[in-house]
Amino acid sequence: MPASSALLADLSRAIPPARLLTSPEDLIVHGYDGTWLERTPDLVVAVADADEIAAVLCVAARHHVPVVPRGGGSGLAGGSVAFRGGIVLSTTLMGKIVEIDREALIAVVQPGVVNAALQAAVERVGLFYPPDPASLNQATIGGNVATSASGPRCLKYGGTKDYVVGLQVVLASGEVQRLGGRSHQPGPDHNLLQTFIGSEGTLGVISEVTVRLLPRPASRGTVMTTFDRLEEAGHAVGRILGAGVVPLALEMMDRTTLRCVEDYLHSGLPVDCEAMLLIDVDGDADSVAEQVAIVARACRDAGASTVRPAESPADAAQLWRARRSTSSSFGRIRPNKLGEDVSVPRSRIPAMVRAVQEIAARYDLLIPLFGHIGDGNLHPNILCDLRDRPEMVRVREAARAIFAAAIANEGAISGEHGIGVLKREFLPDSLDPNAMGLMRRIKRALDPEGILNPGKVLI
Amino acid sequence: MPASSALLADLSRAIPPARLLTSPEDLIVHGYDGTWLERTPDLVVAVADADEIAAVLCVAARHHVPVVPRGGGSGLAGGSVAFRGGIVLSTTLMGKIVEIDREALIAVVQPGVVNAALQAAVERVGLFYPPDPASLNQATIGGNVATSASGPRCLKYGGTKDYVVGLQVVLASGEVQRLGGRSHQPGPDHNLLQTFIGSEGTLGVISEVTVRLLPRPASRGTVMTTFDRLEEAGHAVGRILGAGVVPLALEMMDRTTLRCVEDYLHSGLPVDCEAMLLIDVDGDADSVAEQVAIVARACRDAGASTVRPAESPADAAQLWRARRSTSSSFGRIRPNKLGEDVSVPRSRIPAMVRAVQEIAARYDLLIPLFGHIGDGNLHPNILCDLRDRPEMVRVREAARAIFAAAIANEGAISGEHGIGVLKREFLPDSLDPNAMGLMRRIKRALDPEGILNPGKVLI
């Protein structure tokens, strides 16, 4: 439904007309995310600052029109797709790194700054911003905050929630709110700050983010290792952590993933093992050498069939090529995938991987699985073809079975992708029944008219 | 005012009479915390489980009586003192470590478990729980969560908020709520979980806590160093972090603190320097040796007048004796102290320390200052005598001036002690005006009758 002329007239009093986008092309390119979910919004507003965000929210409230904040559109749960129509509020023009303070170790950024751009900017001055979702070349910091994104490095360094020290948020009422500050220490409103991290645009629109930074580690090392049995891979993780080494990344690929990737790369991957691990460590050069030795020993002691430390950065990049090629390799096999995201306690990883294998067999689907094994965050990818209706019925049932298996294994149905709409229906199974009511109460307190990203997270 | 017989009758239907405490002795020992604030409650209920907490809250709501949760009573902001009378709900009987899972690296504890008891229990099995408030021998995990407590180690390892992965919370309505779970990865209700961390008993009563654990580092090293000028100490911190070493602890004592401690210990402390730092590093033995060398070099390069690495664990303990003796040494000089807690960006530490010195001179008070310099969390202690009324007027004005200086230096008025009542009146100066309204909205949504710790945090 096109935006009403009354709505457009009200908006054009606050926003320059060039940034009120209504052409079919503009609407279409703001109607998708990193899933296969699509819905063309009625209108796109490309905002330039917090005051404009506030103006859009006030006008939207008057017209009872939903507002869906959107950054890079790389979300994996439909959170930035305007399923109920209304306004997509795009933050991509707010792409400025406001400040990098090397003394205070903080950066202040507008919400539309792309994650990789922030990483590159701070690394140029010897600093380090650890959160690294796979979509880092597209995903914005605002979106990272809204989904509480993390990535491989979060085992050692934590995710977005651990780096945000200050937020500017525009509430549904149009109030511009500052939470936290510039100190690395949590302030008196820390719990309020955290309420917005991972709220997926349902409680407010993030208009500025202050993150803490670390000194950039001098050196990095990589070990590739394979295991004939999943349980051995689990033991290796326990031994590595038990030896006091916390790897930067601890990535696992299961046999199905390895076979998909090998079919694509033909690089001689070990397709008969049950699991391959890629383990990165960082620190100064001596410490890295020592950590690599400890990791290699721990893997051998756990029964690894191969243990191969990278001999150079180029060699490490080659080892990581397999992990980075998963999505491309899946695309060769089936046109679509449902990229899932569950997390389970570390000790339940082998059980969870076997459960996914059993579900793949039961529903006759190919479900390669990889993930951040160090913290139990697994990504089963259900390969499929959206045009194949009977298959899509099985995909849906398999997804449900995977969530049930995660919950049965004391896990959660979202590790790092958020809930959005894709997993909304599974949320009540995953949470304490009271928690849903509590979420609703907070939502009503902050957005009584329900204009902020309606239909997301909560049903 | 003693508890009404109707209230007692209702409570005794849910709680065994032996745990409804009404004797003057029982009331007095539940009427203080780690500050000088005191107020005898009308009644103390020592609860044994979440159901009993729920029952107490339901009865209290019916009788419109405030409920103040209390753990070890070591708080430093009056948060667990029942200033408006009513029920002190003591969790000290809920002192069981329910589970330590070595595979999943988590511990599940009741709220009344003392921090040091948890640390000792996990260390016995080779694990590590980093948050270590100075009150660790008295403070409970429930209280740590309620105040979002941290401690010296938080520079490297983060504070309580970074370790809580699951909570059971009893809401004002009596609903028992589970948030989070057992996974180290944040779940879909992570932002809700964080809402309760640092809420100081105003949003719910914590009835169980699940924390993540780390492998215990094998070794530790200590460096003591002194600086003639504060700015040099600040530069040393920058150089240490810049060299890629993140110390376990980075504690500073200013000249006034050193003089107080030396008068008490007579151990030959360097009383003429502007700052002494104690720097601890941890890891495996080789890495510790290397980190100690890097720290020592960084301090020398920054202009340190003394750099002395500890030669043994006994030597390190001796070096730390000065830091651990601060409170005792202050007690020799004046009977009372207002132990303050501000945090500023690292780059503002010298300015903040000088501001405190200037405030001490202006109000003719002795204000030793020490703190976790690595993350800018400083503890100015205003020494005083509660019986000296003119002095207490100056103490109050000095405290206000210190908060103003923290805010002027882009800091916050609470680093790790919470707001409670002690700093409530300063909160509106410290926060965005809208943030106060937002806090009130969430409070009303969760505790519409206002029975949970009324008068705390919010005015």
Side-chain angles (χ1 to χ4, degrees):
Chain A
M1 181 176 81
S4 76
S5 54
L7 175 66
L8 280 171
D10 275 4
L11 283 172
S12 62
R13 271 188 277 279
I15 314 285
R19 294 195 270 102
L20 298 175
L21 312 179
T22 55
S23 76
E25 299 80 356
D26 281 327
L27 298 182
I28 287 168
V29 299
H30 290 87
Y32 67 89
D33 73 349
T35 64
W36 58 55
L37 300 167
E38 290 180 4
R39 169 67 153 88
T40 305
D42 304 334
L43 173 67
V44 175
V45 183
V47 287
D49 58 32
D51 289 343
E52 288 192 1
I53 296 172
V56 171
L57 291 174
C58 290
V59 171
R62 218 153 50 229
H63 290 264
H64 305 288
V65 171
V67 176
V68 180
R70 187 180 196 271
S74 57
L76 290 170
S80 64
V81 182
F83 293 99
R84 301 194 181 174
I87 300 168
V88 159
L89 188 151
S90 170
T91 60
T92 49
L93 294 182
M94 296 178 70
K96 199 176 147 196
I97 297 176
V98 179
E99 180 190 357
I100 296 173
D101 184 333
R102 294 171 66 177
E103 277 279 330
L105 289 176
I106 58 162
V108 181
V109 302
Q110 291 187 326
V113 170
V114 169
N115 178 295
L118 174 60
Q119 293 205 26
V122 303
E123 286 178 14
R124 274 195 294 275
V125 294
L127 301 177
F128 180 41
Y129 179 66
D132 62 336
S135 54
L136 55 89
N137 290 306
Q138 185 183 356
T140 61
I141 298 296
N144 290 177
V145 173
T147 56
S148 194
S150 53
R153 293 179 192 155
C154 88
L155 174 63
K156 179 164 185 177
Y157 289 108
T160 304
K161 69 180 170 56
D162 303 305
Y163 289 86
V164 177
V165 298
L167 280 182
Q168 189 192 57
V169 180
V170 186
L171 300 185
S173 60
E175 289 162 280
V176 180
Q177 177 94 50
R178 281 209 169 271
L179 295 166
R182 295 168 67 88
S183 166
H184 284 207
Q185 280 282 103
D189 54 355
H190 172 78
N191 60 334
L192 216 49
L193 174 83
Q194 289 286 340
T195 303
F196 289 90
I197 302 177
S199 65
E200 303 189 39
T202 62
L203 302 180
V205 180
I206 292 150
S207 51
E208 192 179 88
V209 184
T210 305
V211 296
R212 69 184 179 98
L213 304 170
L214 298 178
R216 187 182 181 184
S219 189
R220 188 181 288 194
T222 298
V223 177
M224 186 278 280
T225 177
T226 63
F227 296 90
D228 290 341
R229 288 181 50 74
L230 278 166
E231 284 73 10
E232 293 165 346
H235 293 154
V237 174
R239 280 170 190 265
I240 291 166
L241 296 171
V245 172
V246 182
L248 175 67
L250 225 168
E251 292 288 297
M252 182 198 63
M253 287 185 278
D254 79 344
R255 191 189 327 225
T256 311
T257 305
L258 287 169
R259 288 183 176 175
C260 292
V261 174
E262 180 58 15
D263 278 351
Y264 175 67
L265 286 183
H266 304 291
S267 63
L269 286 174
V271 293
D272 286 327
C273 64
E274 279 202 339
M276 173 173 142
L277 302 187
L278 280 171
I279 304 157
D280 269 16
V281 295
D282 68 353
D284 58 54
D286 288 353
S287 156
V288 163
E290 201 183 316
Q291 289 180 71
V292 164
I294 293 171
V295 165
R297 191 167 58 240
C299 293
R300 274 187 218 104
D301 291 349
S305 44
T306 326
V307 178
R308 188 162 103 61
E311 280 156 19
S312 65
D315 189 23
Q318 182 59 30
L319 291 174
W320 272 90
R321 201 171 151 225
R323 172 66 180 83
R324 286 201 320 273
S325 302
T326 49
S327 280
S328 316
S329 77
F330 300 159
R332 265 186 76 251
I333 298 170
R334 303 287 288 162
N336 305 106
K337 65 176 159 66
L338 181 60
E340 267 319 327
D341 167 46
V342 297
S343 68
V344 294
R346 209 137 40 203
S347 54
R348 300 299 190 102
I349 291 172
M352 185 66 206
V353 175
R354 292 202 194 286
V356 170
Q357 290 168 345
E358 188 276 320
I359 290 163
R362 193 191 329 155
Y363 293 102
D364 190 22
L365 293 164
L366 208 53
I367 314 184
L369 180 151
F370 55 89
H372 321 313
I373 188 175
D375 42 31
N377 185 197
L378 302 175
H379 297 302
N381 276 252
I382 310 179
L383 306 193
C384 54
D385 185 339
L386 278 175
R387 297 161 300 186
D388 182 339
R389 286 180 171 250
E391 183 176 77
M392 292 313 293
V393 171
R394 300 202 311 279
V395 166
R396 198 178 160 72
E397 284 170 11
R400 186 179 285 276
I402 288 172
F403 291 142
I407 294 164
N409 280 296
E410 301 187 328
I413 63 164
S414 168
E416 58 187 14
H417 294 172
I419 300 298
V421 290
L422 206 59
K423 290 189 265 190
R424 200 183 45 181
E425 64 176 304
F426 304 109
L427 195 58
D429 290 341
S430 170
L431 293 184
D432 184 316
N434 289 333
M436 295 294 296
L438 183 56
M439 279 187 176
R440 281 195 199 94
R441 255 189 273 179
I442 290 178
K443 168 76 173 169
R444 271 200 303 271
L446 299 187
D447 178 19
E449 304 292 324
I451 61 160
L452 275 170
N453 213 0
K456 302 298 165 57
V457 187
L458 294 164
I459 300 177
Chain B
M1 182 177 80
S4 76
S5 54
L7 175 67
L8 279 170
D10 275 4
L11 283 171
S12 62
R13 271 188 278 278
I15 314 287
R19 294 196 273 102
L20 299 175
L21 312 179
T22 54
S23 76
E25 299 80 355
D26 282 326
L27 298 182
I28 286 168
V29 298
H30 290 87
Y32 66 89
D33 74 348
T35 63
W36 59 53
L37 300 166
E38 289 181 4
R39 170 67 153 87
T40 304
D42 304 333
L43 174 67
V44 175
V45 183
V47 287
D49 58 33
D51 290 342
E52 289 192 0
I53 296 172
V56 171
L57 292 173
C58 291
V59 171
R62 221 154 49 230
H63 290 263
H64 305 289
V65 170
V67 176
V68 180
R70 186 179 198 271
S74 57
L76 289 170
S80 65
V81 181
F83 294 101
R84 299 193 182 174
I87 299 169
V88 159
L89 189 152
S90 170
T91 60
T92 49
L93 294 182
M94 296 178 70
K96 198 175 148 197
I97 296 176
V98 179
E99 181 189 356
I100 296 173
D101 184 333
R102 294 172 67 176
E103 276 280 330
L105 289 176
I106 58 161
V108 181
V109 302
Q110 292 187 326
V113 170
V114 169
N115 179 294
L118 174 61
Q119 294 205 26
V122 304
E123 287 178 13
R124 274 196 293 274
V125 295
L127 301 177
F128 180 40
Y129 179 67
D132 62 336
S135 54
L136 56 90
N137 289 307
Q138 183 183 357
T140 62
I141 298 297
N144 291 176
V145 174
T147 55
S148 194
S150 53
R153 293 178 193 157
C154 89
L155 173 62
K156 179 162 186 176
Y157 289 107
T160 303
K161 70 181 171 54
D162 303 305
Y163 289 86
V164 176
V165 298
L167 280 183
Q168 189 192 56
V169 180
V170 187
L171 300 185
S173 59
E175 288 162 282
V176 180
Q177 177 93 50
R178 281 209 168 271
L179 296 165
R182 294 168 68 87
S183 166
H184 284 207
Q185 280 282 103
D189 54 355
H190 173 78
N191 60 333
L192 216 50
L193 174 81
Q194 289 286 339
T195 303
F196 288 90
I197 301 178
S199 66
E200 303 188 37
T202 63
L203 302 180
V205 181
I206 292 149
S207 51
E208 192 178 87
V209 183
T210 305
V211 295
R212 70 184 178 97
L213 303 170
L214 298 177
R216 187 182 181 184
S219 188
R220 187 181 289 193
T222 298
V223 176
M224 186 277 279
T225 177
T226 63
F227 295 90
D228 290 341
R229 287 180 50 75
L230 279 165
E231 284 73 10
E232 293 165 345
H235 293 154
V237 173
R239 281 171 189 266
I240 291 166
L241 296 170
V245 172
V246 181
L248 174 69
L250 225 167
E251 292 287 297
M252 182 198 63
M253 289 184 277
D254 78 344
R255 191 190 322 225
T256 311
T257 305
L258 287 169
R259 289 183 176 174
C260 292
V261 174
E262 180 58 16
D263 278 351
Y264 175 68
L265 287 183
H266 303 292
S267 63
L269 287 174
V271 293
D272 287 327
C273 64
E274 279 202 339
M276 172 173 142
L277 302 187
L278 280 171
I279 303 157
D280 270 15
V281 295
D282 67 353
D284 58 53
D286 288 354
S287 156
V288 163
E290 202 183 315
Q291 290 181 70
V292 164
I294 293 170
V295 166
R297 191 167 58 240
C299 293
R300 273 185 220 107
D301 290 349
S305 43
T306 326
V307 179
R308 188 161 101 64
E311 281 155 20
S312 65
D315 189 22
Q318 180 60 28
L319 291 174
W320 272 91
R321 201 171 151 225
R323 172 67 180 82
R324 287 201 320 274
S325 302
T326 48
S327 281
S328 315
S329 77
F330 301 159
R332 264 187 76 251
I333 298 170
R334 303 287 288 162
N336 305 106
K337 65 177 158 66
L338 181 59
E340 267 320 327
D341 168 45
V342 297
S343 69
V344 295
R346 207 137 44 202
S347 54
R348 299 301 189 101
I349 291 172
M352 185 65 207
V353 175
R354 293 201 194 286
V356 171
Q357 290 169 344
E358 188 275 321
I359 290 163
R362 193 191 328 155
Y363 293 102
D364 190 22
L365 293 164
L366 207 53
I367 313 183
L369 179 151
F370 54 89
H372 320 313
I373 189 174
D375 42 30
N377 185 197
L378 303 176
H379 297 301
N381 275 253
I382 310 179
L383 307 193
C384 55
D385 185 338
L386 280 175
R387 296 161 303 186
D388 181 340
R389 286 180 171 251
E391 182 175 77
M392 292 313 293
V393 171
R394 300 200 312 277
V395 166
R396 196 175 163 74
E397 285 171 9
R400 185 180 285 276
I402 288 172
F403 291 141
I407 293 164
N409 280 296
E410 300 187 331
I413 62 163
S414 168
E416 58 186 14
H417 294 172
I419 300 297
V421 290
L422 207 57
K423 290 189 266 189
R424 201 181 47 180
E425 65 175 304
F426 304 108
L427 194 59
D429 290 341
S430 170
L431 293 184
D432 184 316
N434 289 334
M436 295 294 296
L438 183 56
M439 279 188 176
R440 281 194 199 96
R441 257 189 272 180
I442 291 179
K443 168 76 174 171
R444 271 199 305 270
L446 299 187
D447 179 19
E449 305 291 324
I451 61 159
L452 275 170
N453 213 1
K456 302 299 165 57
V457 187
L458 295 163
I459 300 176

